[in-house]
């Protein structure tokens, strides 16, 4: 997670926190499955690098306790296998993809998941 997120009332913005606001923290996930957690929110770019198909799951609010309306998760698929987004228990995903609730992402494409309500995420980007 980028330094400085999430802040609470009374926090003092330090230079390190401010600098953390303007750059992505880049993480790499190479497995066939991955479930998003609190460390993936805000200025984080998740790279998936598996050569086979892979699934990234958006966890429910009970797990993503730092997610507020407007929180974003950004993912790039650097692996050659297609990436499919999946909803955790009680989570609703919608997108303009061919399969709205389970959009796919081809190699070198990027998507962003934005929390719009409790356990509800919209997915935007180069999805199929």
């Amino acid at each position: 997670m980028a330094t400085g997120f999430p802040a609470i009332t009374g926090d003092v913005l330090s230079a390190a926190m401010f600098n953390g606001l303007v750059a992505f923290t880049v993480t790499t996930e190479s497995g066939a499955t991955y479930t998003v957690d609190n460390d993936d929110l805000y200025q984080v770019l998740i790279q998936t690098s598996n050569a086979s198909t892979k699934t990234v799951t958006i966890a429910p609010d009970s797990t993503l306790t730092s997610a507020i309306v407007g929180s974003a998760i950004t993912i790039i698929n650097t692996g050659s296998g297609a990436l499919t987004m999946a909803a955790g228990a009680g989570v609703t995903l919608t997108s303009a993809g061919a399969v709205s609730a389970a959009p796919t992402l081809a190699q070198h494409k990027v998507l962003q998941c934005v929390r719009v309500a409790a356990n509800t995420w919209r997915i935007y980007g180069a999805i199929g």
Side-chain angles (χ1 to χ4, degrees), residues 31-48:
T33 62
Y34 180 69
T35 300
V36 173
D37 61 31
N38 285 318
D39 290 339
D40 297 320
L41 298 170
Y42 307 105
Q43 294 287 112
V44 176
L45 175 64
I46 303 168
Q47 296 183 108
T48 60

Side-chain angles (χ1 to χ4, degrees), residues 68-73 112-117 120-124:
I68 60 171
V69 170
S71 293
I73 299 164
Q112 189 166 61
C113 308
V114 178
R115 184 174 184 259
V116 295
T120 305
W121 295 78
R122 303 268 192 268
I123 301 177
Y124 307 94

